Amino acid sequence: MVRREICDVQRPIPGDRICTLYNLGLVPYETAWRWQQSLVQHKKAGLSSDVLMLLEHPPVYTLGQGADPSLIKFDPDQEGHSLYRIERGGEVTYHCPGQLVGYPVLDLKRFQLDLHWYLRQLEEVVIQTLSQWGLVGTRVAGLTGVWIDGYKVAAIGIKVSRWITMHGFALNVCSDLAGFQRIVPCGIVDKPVGSLHQFCPGIDVEQVRPVVATAFAQVFGVSLQEPMVDLATLLR
């Protein structure tokens, strides 16, 4: 069952674009994937505003559309791991509770028609979030994501169709990182995966959630609004 949690937006962040913020709890990967696909179709038809979903997933592995399956260290046919090949770019990654996932469904025609710009903006959301705890998030030339002291704490993978975005970013807050040992995360063999908990013991997703929302609003220049209806109702 999908658990929905509300994280109140105290007041809209100034901006000339509206973005509906769905604060969700633990959502099965396939459910969130289908929601994104439906939202993209709604936006292509001009039926919905921009959307940001913030949520967590039960343990699951995902492969980008061109990902190399040799980066998986287990046999998905013999072990009880959830695995999806999806339409985003990038290699294999892992989602689990304690990781805050952000799925923006945006019409980039209202922002910039530049995918590199969009990726850098998503990184900037994470970097600004980390700064609230005195952490310095950095980029690595030629790679996508955010690092702290050499540890990759945020992965980013997107799909854009007719300038409508889906998929997004995953920030390890207090995740059990053991699941990453069964893959070569994002195809990067020489940089370890980390979490904010390593640098800020005791931090949890509910502390980080509103900070990510505020950083997203500031970076993209949007006003966040609470939904009028839940996603399941909207997408019937």
Side-chain angles (χ1 to χ4, degrees):
M1 182 175 68
V2 176
R3 177 172 58 87
R4 184 172 186 272
E5 296 181 352
I6 298 296
C7 176
D8 289 334
V9 181
Q10 297 300 320
R11 56 182 179 273
I13 304 299
D16 60 358
R17 307 177 184 93
I18 299 298
C19 181
T20 302
L21 173 63
Y22 287 93
N23 269 303
L24 305 164
L26 192 67
V27 180
Y29 187 83
E30 187 169 3
T31 299
W33 186 19
R34 300 306 176 198
W35 282 346
Q36 290 181 78
Q37 291 172 329
S38 294
L39 282 167
V40 167
Q41 294 308 311
H42 274 63
K43 284 200 67 60
K44 286 180 178 179
L47 300 177
S48 65
S49 69
D50 289 328
V51 165
L52 172 63
M53 288 189 282
L54 295 177
L55 49 81
E56 298 172 76
H57 288 307
V60 61
Y61 294 92
T62 68
L63 285 161
Q65 58 186 350
D68 182 351
S70 70
L71 300 176
I72 300 171
K73 300 178 182 179
F74 60 88
D75 183 347
D77 295 327
Q78 295 184 359
E79 300 189 40
H81 300 288
S82 295
L83 175 67
Y84 294 90
R85 183 177 287 276
I86 56 176
E87 64 272 68
R88 65 163 171 80
E91 295 290 346
V92 61
T93 195
Y94 176 65
H95 300 297
C96 63
Q99 180 191 77
L100 183 61
V101 179
Y103 293 135
V105 181
L106 309 178
D107 184 349
L108 290 183
K109 293 190 294 292
R110 302 174 64 224
F111 297 88
Q112 288 195 36
L113 302 182
D114 184 333
L115 300 188
H116 293 288
W117 172 87
Y118 179 58
L119 290 169
R120 303 295 81 77
Q121 295 298 96
L122 293 179
E123 291 169 346
E124 186 62 23
V125 169
V126 175
I127 289 169
Q128 289 194 16
T129 297
L130 300 182
S131 71
Q132 298 303 304
W133 282 271
L135 300 172
V136 178
T138 60
R139 298 177 173 92
V140 173
L143 299 175
T144 300
V146 178
W147 281 258
I148 301 175
D149 292 345
Y151 288 87
K152 188 173 186 179
V153 297
I156 295 172
I158 64 170
K159 166 68 176 179
V160 179
S161 174
R162 287 169 45 188
W163 298 108
I164 308 296
T165 70
M166 63 182 295
H167 300 294
F169 59 89
L171 174 60
N172 297 325
V173 179
C174 52
S175 323
D176 180 353
L177 302 179
F180 285 99
Q181 297 174 7
R182 293 180 172 270
I183 59 173
V184 180
C186 303
I188 302 172
V189 298
D190 60 346
K191 291 181 172 57
V193 172
S195 73
L196 304 194
H197 179 76
Q198 295 172 241
F199 306 94
C200 296
I203 196 169
D204 62 32
V205 167
E206 294 313 306
Q207 291 174 272
V208 175
R209 182 188 295 269
V211 179
V212 166
T214 298
F216 183 89
Q218 292 174 341
V219 168
F220 283 93
V222 297
S223 294
L224 297 176
Q225 67 176 13
E226 296 183 15
M228 300 298 291
V229 297
D230 63 33
L231 269 174
T233 300
L234 175 68
L235 300 176
R236 281 178 185 167

